[in-house]
Amino acid sequence: MASSRPKAFGSSSSFASAGTAILGGAHVSLTLLEKAMDGTNIPFVKGVAGAALEVIKIAKAIQTNREECNNLVERCTSLLIVILGSLAGKTEDVIPDYLRRGVERITTNFNEVLDALRIIDKRAQKWRALVYYIENGEKLKECSEKLYWAMEEFQVTSKVSSCLKDLERYEELREGQKKILESTQELRKGQKEVQDGLFEVREAIKQQNDPNALSSVPSTVMPPDPKIFGREEYVGKAIKLLFSSTGAKIAILGPGGMGKTSVALKIIHDTLVIERFGENRCWVPCEQATSVPLFIELVAKSLNIPSSSSNDRLADIIAFLKSSTSLIILLLDNFETPWDIEGQQSTVADVLTAIGSIPSVSFIITMRGTQHPSSNTIDWTKPRLPILSQLDLDAAEEAFLKISPDAEGDPELRVLLQKVDCMPLAITLMAKLSEAGETVSDLLEQWNLDRTRLLDQPGGDRRNSIEVSIKLSLDSRSVKGNPDAIRLLSVLAMLPAGAALIRLPEMCPSIPGWKVALRVLRGAALVYDSADKSRIRMLSPIQSYILLHYPLEQGPLNELRASYYKLAPEGQTSPEDPEFKDVSKALAGEETNMEAILMSALHDANADWQAALSAGLHYSMYLHHGQPRTEIIVQAVRVGREMQSPLLPHCLLWHAAIVDRQRRFDEAEPLFEEARDEFTKLGDMENAANCNGFLGALFRGRNQFDKALAALREARATLLELGDVKNAAWNLLDIGQTFSKQGDYKAACSSYEQAQSEFTSVGDRFGSLRCLSSLGAALGFQGDHDAAESALEEARVGFMGFGAFHNVAFCLYYLGETHFLASNYSSSLVKFEEALALANQVDDLHIAENCEVWIDKIHGLLETE
């Protein structure tokens, strides 16, 4: 006869053995779970088990994101072990209602996870699986987190159940537990809120004076030894500091995303550190420490200090540490979280100081920022470690290829790494996208378009989202407490080459508190100083994030632009001007910023376009004399046309002059002609004549000598008629160079000498030197080598004084030819090599290519001698 007695669910011993086997091998977990469920008639137990089994089946079937799937299976089985272990040996009629409701809530959690897994499973079966690789991974992690906090909540409930002694106490605690669980459900929207809710649970239990109820805090199990790249020297310095004295105190500081945690873990896992501290190496995940009591509890848990009847857990910690006969080391990871708790910094400082006062205890903290906490009460071991900065390019490439080896040899990989300033977190996230199927070229294109949004993952945290990592630094108490800090950061983000400290007051006059704001940004490691301390810089991912989320308001933006518009007119100086060398040096340090500011203004409908156009024109004059680039002048021409600006012909002229310097003659000719026609319409005959002079030089470059001489003579006649002797002399110099190219060196020398006389008469030393250098080249071809060398050497020295290195390279080149024509091959080789080095330095490709031809020729001659 069958018994009518309710059937108990399993037994403690049988379930324990099944649970061990489940955790021991995921491949047998389904069978064992099914066996563990067999025979129960309890509906809600069957429900949770069935949902869990389905989660495990789907997770094991998904072919992508295997690591995350395996973690989910393990989390799922762990949760079932906790549930079933709590219910083992109990019949349905003796299981409290709130435990049953807890199991039913977990069943709901399992079903929510199932919905997410089914979507992921469908994605994994399609060709777009690689596209969803990162998103799927984050969703799987989110599912694991959901189950983790469900387990934490259930354990709290189970522990309360074990403490009930009578019905009155039962009813009282059940009501309190109901409120706690409802609060926990509301706070489950985010991990941080859940953690706060669990802390409230623990505090409520303590208030019931239940000494058997253990606090529920996150795991403090030491993470594994990480693989790091390019940090070996840094780790070595830290280990040396640890061994320099007992009770070492070390801080690893730096911006978010630099790998501070990885470096600290590498130190903790070092063989020498293990030998010194053994099992007394404790990891404290301070990221979870959202209150001072929770911070203290995390430290206690990392040290395995059991709960006691004492209401002072800090006293328990201090007593434990003082009584220890072994050396102990604590790794307080992400210490900025407790340090930034509103109104509690002094309390946290007291905790850190108390721990640090014990001679046998060493600790390492990792913390965002550049400032050591509690410097007035803690004697940080010296020399202090430097701020952890970005990787060098070789280490960055090695780190990328460790994750995505198929990218090895890609010519664009290093360009991509430089785009993100070799920031370790950005490298890791980029490499994972590459591993999932994105090409380096695609990633580079996407970064240029999306910037930090490319590396942002929905629901991500500081470890897998650049945007979350940066936002944590921006949300620090010091930054949020200074309104000028974000405004200054928005100004600095507009300057890719960093801001010169000496120019900051001029750049942001509406931020009078910029000095204090700058100290705050330095302290938060959102900006850093250049090696020579003259500039403030920002890492590329941070700059991109600020430009995207905190664009500079129009008023401060106009102020910043105005400071560069004021600097741009310096560019209209010419190499013959005595101030040219100093001006070039000043502008050279601002080229990247100037171009960013001008590009921004020339594309901004709200900008002062006339001011932007004028600045772009002046800056392009500077580029013409140095390293000619067309990006700015092309935009200036576009704006000039759209605005029908009187500056348009000037923009056309300098656009033509720059492409002519680049030897793009086919593009230059129509631009010179259009500029000439526009000047003529305006009645500006002097500039129209200058355009003809440029056209004459262009025709000479094409060997169209008759057209060249005609244009140059027409320009010269107009200028002399207008009384412009200086520019007329330049046309005569060009006429001489046309004769030289034709091989008529006698006529050329005559033109050079007359032009030199005219330059001298108007006090133009630079023009005179140009004539002298051309005369030297022509004399060399006429066979007067001594006179040629004398003229060229005099001109070279003169150009050095002006800082006109293109012209210096010209003189060295023709000195090489002169020595060659005199059969002095060894000295000729020296001159050509000097000319080549200088031409490469100033990007003069024409001279560089000709030098290489001569050098090869001379080497061949010397080898045959």
Side-chain angles (χ1 to χ4, degrees):
M1 181 175 177
S3 173
S4 61
R5 182 180 177 183
K7 190 171 183 179
F9 173 69
S11 68
S12 298
S13 59
S14 63
F15 181 75
S17 61
T20 302
I22 290 169
L23 287 178
H27 64 286
V28 295
S29 60
L30 287 172
T31 302
L32 289 172
L33 279 173
E34 290 167 347
K35 183 177 179 181
M37 298 303 105
D38 187 36
T40 181
N41 293 320
I42 303 176
F44 63 86
V45 175
K46 280 190 171 183
V48 75
L53 288 170
E54 189 65 19
V55 168
I56 293 172
K57 286 178 183 178
I58 296 179
K60 291 180 70 175
I62 293 173
Q63 296 303 309
T64 61
N65 304 92
R66 288 310 311 155
E67 181 180 351
E68 290 87 351
C69 287
N70 290 337
N71 289 340
L72 182 60
V73 169
E74 182 178 344
R75 186 60 54 82
C76 185
T77 54
S78 296
L79 178 52
L80 272 180
I81 289 170
V82 170
I83 295 170
L84 303 179
S86 299
L87 301 177
K90 294 183 174 68
T91 57
E92 184 176 4
D93 59 335
V94 299
I95 297 176
D97 287 345
Y98 55 84
L99 277 183
R100 177 182 56 78
R101 287 194 298 270
V103 174
E104 289 171 348
R105 279 194 295 272
I106 290 173
T107 305
T108 301
N109 286 329
F110 275 131
N111 288 327
E112 290 172 357
V113 170
L114 269 175
D115 291 340
L117 284 181
R118 287 178 180 127
I119 294 172
I120 292 170
D121 189 37
K122 288 179 181 178
R123 289 175 177 173
Q125 296 168 11
K126 297 181 180 180
W127 67 272
R128 290 182 61 83
L130 291 177
V131 176
Y132 289 104
Y133 180 85
I134 298 295
E135 185 178 338
N136 289 347
E138 295 309 315
K139 180 59 70 176
L140 287 165
K141 289 179 182 176
E142 183 181 322
C143 290
S144 291
E145 289 295 318
K146 183 186 291 288
L147 297 183
Y148 172 80
W149 292 113
M151 181 167 66
E152 292 287 303
E153 177 186 326
F154 186 82
Q155 284 179 316
V156 171
T157 304
S158 178
K159 289 166 185 173
V160 170
S161 175
S162 68
C163 299
L164 299 177
K165 302 298 183 183
D166 51 53
L167 183 60
E168 181 178 353
R169 182 85 181 268
Y170 168 83
E171 291 295 334
E172 178 184 354
L173 285 180
R174 185 177 66 174
E175 189 63 26
Q177 179 67 10
K178 179 180 177 182
K179 293 179 181 179
I180 294 168
L181 291 176
E182 288 174 354
S183 174
T184 303
Q185 288 291 336
E186 293 173 1
L187 292 174
R188 194 180 289 148
K189 295 178 181 178
Q191 182 174 335
K192 180 175 182 296
E193 288 82 357
V194 173
Q195 293 162 357
D196 290 340
L198 290 173
F199 176 69
E200 292 173 10
V201 172
R202 189 182 73 248
E203 291 300 302
I205 292 173
K206 285 182 178 181
Q207 291 172 10
Q208 296 292 339
N209 297 316
D210 183 359
N212 297 315
L214 297 177
S215 300
S216 177
V217 296
S219 171
T220 57
V221 176
M222 180 79 72
D225 187 5
K227 179 67 176 176
I228 63 172
F229 302 90
R231 303 298 198 194
E232 294 78 12
E233 183 178 351
Y234 194 99
V235 169
K237 288 180 180 178
I239 293 171
K240 186 177 180 180
L241 288 176
L242 278 179
F243 283 77
S244 65
S245 64
T246 303
K249 300 164 188 65
I250 298 172
I252 300 174
L253 308 175
M258 280 299 156
K260 297 181 293 296
T261 295
S262 294
V263 168
L265 288 171
K266 177 58 71 173
I267 295 166
I268 285 288
H269 283 289
D270 183 81
T271 304
L272 293 175
V273 176
I274 293 174
E275 289 177 359
R276 183 177 179 88
F277 295 97
E279 295 299 317
N280 298 315
R281 296 170 296 118
C282 306
W283 177 62
V284 184
C286 298
E287 181 181 358
Q288 315 292 340
T290 53
S291 67
V292 176
L294 186 52
F295 170 55
I296 294 171
E297 194 62 45
L298 278 165
V299 175
K301 185 170 183 179
S302 74
L303 291 165
N304 291 320
I305 299 175
S307 297
S308 68
S309 59
S310 168
N311 289 323
D312 190 343
R313 291 295 277 160
L314 179 58
D316 294 343
I317 293 170
I318 300 304
F320 175 85
L321 293 174
K322 285 183 176 180
S323 66
S324 175
T325 57
S326 303
L327 297 177
I328 296 173
I329 184 168
L330 294 171
L331 168 50
L332 303 170
D333 195 18
N334 293 308
F335 185 71
E336 69 274 1
T337 300
W339 188 249
D340 261 356
I341 296 171
E342 186 70 32
Q344 296 296 315
Q345 194 170 94
S346 61
T347 304
V348 175
D350 290 342
V351 173
L352 192 63
T353 302
I355 294 172
S357 67
I358 301 170
S360 61
V361 178
S362 297
F363 61 72
I364 301 172
I365 70 163
T366 69
M367 184 174 179
R368 289 167 182 253
T370 60
Q371 298 173 345
H372 288 66
S374 301
S375 290
N376 57 331
T377 57
I378 294 178
D379 185 17
W380 295 96
T381 304
K382 297 180 180 63
R384 295 179 177 181
L385 290 173
I387 303 301
L388 197 63
S389 60
Q390 59 266 50
L391 299 174
D392 64 47
L393 195 53
D394 288 340
E397 184 175 31
E398 187 182 0
F400 189 100
L401 294 176
K402 180 67 176 178
I403 298 171
S404 182
D406 289 346
E408 186 169 7
D410 193 305
E412 293 186 297
L413 177 55
R414 288 191 162 224
V415 177
L416 176 65
L417 297 173
Q418 289 172 319
K419 285 284 186 181
V420 297
D421 270 345
C422 297
M423 177 189 273
L425 177 57
I427 293 166
T428 298
L429 297 178
M430 284 285 193
K432 286 184 177 179
L433 290 172
S434 174
E435 182 191 26
E438 298 279 1
T439 67
V440 172
S441 178
D442 288 342
L443 289 173
L444 191 56
E445 181 179 353
Q446 289 178 57
W447 174 260
N448 289 332
L449 289 174
D450 296 332
R451 299 291 176 171
T452 52
R453 283 179 296 194
L454 173 63
L455 305 180
D456 182 36
Q457 301 301 328
D461 59 24
R462 71 175 76 200
R463 294 163 301 216
N464 53 32
S465 171
I466 279 286
E467 296 220 338
V468 170
S469 178
I470 295 170
K471 188 176 185 300
L472 283 170
S473 294
L474 294 172
D475 286 344
S476 66
R477 190 163 49 84
S478 58
V479 174
K480 291 181 76 173
N482 188 315
D484 285 343
I486 294 294
R487 295 178 63 203
L488 180 59
L489 206 57
S490 297
V491 171
L492 297 175
M494 294 291 296
L495 305 171
L501 278 169
I502 196 171
R503 298 193 66 239
L504 263 180
E506 182 183 351
M507 292 177 184
C508 48
S510 62
I511 309 179
W514 68 267
K515 288 186 177 180
V516 175
L518 184 57
R519 284 199 296 271
V520 169
L521 295 177
R522 280 183 176 131
L526 288 163
V527 300
Y528 65 97
D529 290 275
S530 62
D532 62 1
K533 306 296 184 184
S534 66
R535 302 183 81 84
I536 294 295
R537 300 187 185 277
M538 187 184 304
L539 291 170
S540 173
I542 298 176
Q543 179 199 20
S544 298
Y545 180 90
I546 297 300
L547 288 173
L548 186 64
H549 296 283
Y550 296 91
L552 192 58
E553 296 176 355
Q554 196 65 46
L557 178 58
N558 290 338
E559 294 173 351
L560 177 62
R561 287 172 175 167
S563 72
Y564 277 89
Y565 295 164
K566 184 178 178 181
L567 181 63
E570 304 278 1
Q572 63 187 314
T573 59
S574 299
E576 62 267 27
D577 297 328
E579 65 271 24
F580 178 77
K581 191 173 181 180
D582 291 337
V583 166
S584 295
K585 184 178 180 181
L587 278 172
E590 293 292 345
E591 283 186 14
T592 304
N593 289 342
M594 180 70 79
E595 291 174 21
I597 293 294
L598 290 175
M599 276 293 190
S600 164
L602 291 170
H603 285 87
D604 184 358
N606 296 315
D608 182 347
W609 278 14
Q610 193 68 17
L613 198 60
S614 178
L617 176 61
H618 289 139
Y619 179 67
S620 296
M621 294 178 186
Y622 157 76
L623 292 177
H624 171 264
H625 295 304
Q627 298 181 356
R629 295 191 296 276
T630 61
E631 291 82 1
I632 297 298
I633 198 63
V634 164
Q635 296 305 317
V637 168
R638 176 186 61 79
V639 172
R641 291 189 196 281
E642 292 174 359
M643 294 176 60
Q644 298 182 340
S645 169
L647 290 176
L648 174 60
H650 294 277
C651 294
L652 289 166
L653 172 59
W654 285 99
H655 185 190
I658 289 175
V659 296
D660 181 62
R661 276 287 311 280
Q662 294 174 329
R663 307 186 72 78
R664 293 154 54 191
F665 302 129
D666 290 343
E667 297 176 52
E669 182 178 355
L671 289 168
F672 279 132
E673 290 174 343
E674 185 181 1
R676 179 192 61 196
D677 295 343
E678 291 291 331
F679 280 126
T680 301
K681 288 178 186 177
L682 295 173
D684 187 346
M685 301 313 296
E686 182 176 2
N687 273 316
N690 286 333
C691 291
N692 271 331
F694 278 114
L695 279 168
L698 184 150
F699 292 141
R700 180 183 68 244
R702 291 174 169 174
N703 295 329
Q704 297 172 301
F705 301 122
D706 291 341
K707 289 181 70 173
L709 289 171
L712 290 166
R713 285 167 176 158
E714 180 184 350
R716 177 171 167 78
T718 302
L719 292 169
L720 286 173
E721 185 178 341
L722 294 170
D724 188 349
V725 176
K726 178 178 177 179
N727 280 319
W730 282 108
N731 291 142
L732 186 54
L733 171 60
D734 280 334
I735 289 170
Q737 290 176 335
T738 305
F739 284 133
S740 284
K741 195 166 186 185
Q742 284 181 295
D744 188 351
Y745 299 116
K746 183 176 180 181
C749 288
S750 175
S751 297
Y752 293 145
E753 288 169 349
Q754 183 181 346
Q756 185 179 19
S757 175
E758 291 180 7
F759 278 124
T760 302
S761 71
V762 296
D764 189 336
R765 170 66 175 158
F766 188 83
S768 178
L769 289 170
R770 283 287 306 273
C771 293
L772 187 61
S773 62
S774 296
L775 179 62
L779 288 170
F781 287 121
Q782 284 184 300
D784 192 349
H785 304 308
D786 291 340
E789 182 175 2
S790 176
L792 288 165
E793 186 60 31
E794 181 182 346
R796 184 192 69 80
V797 173
F799 285 133
M800 287 291 291
F802 279 101
F805 297 112
H806 283 279
N807 302 98
V808 174
F810 175 92
C811 292
L812 288 168
Y813 174 83
Y814 279 103
L815 280 167
E817 284 202 2
T818 300
H819 284 257
F820 182 87
L821 293 172
S823 301
N824 297 325
Y825 301 136
S826 296
S827 59
S828 174
L829 180 62
V830 171
K831 295 301 180 185
F832 281 127
E833 288 174 341
E834 291 177 0
L836 175 61
L838 191 55
N840 284 331
Q841 183 179 326
V842 296
D843 290 335
D844 193 324
L845 299 180
H846 180 62
I847 288 182
E849 289 171 359
N850 286 331
C851 285
E852 288 173 351
V853 172
W854 276 107
I855 289 169
D856 289 341
K857 183 176 181 179
I858 295 170
H859 277 303
L861 289 172
L862 292 174
E863 288 173 2
T864 59
E865 289 184 352

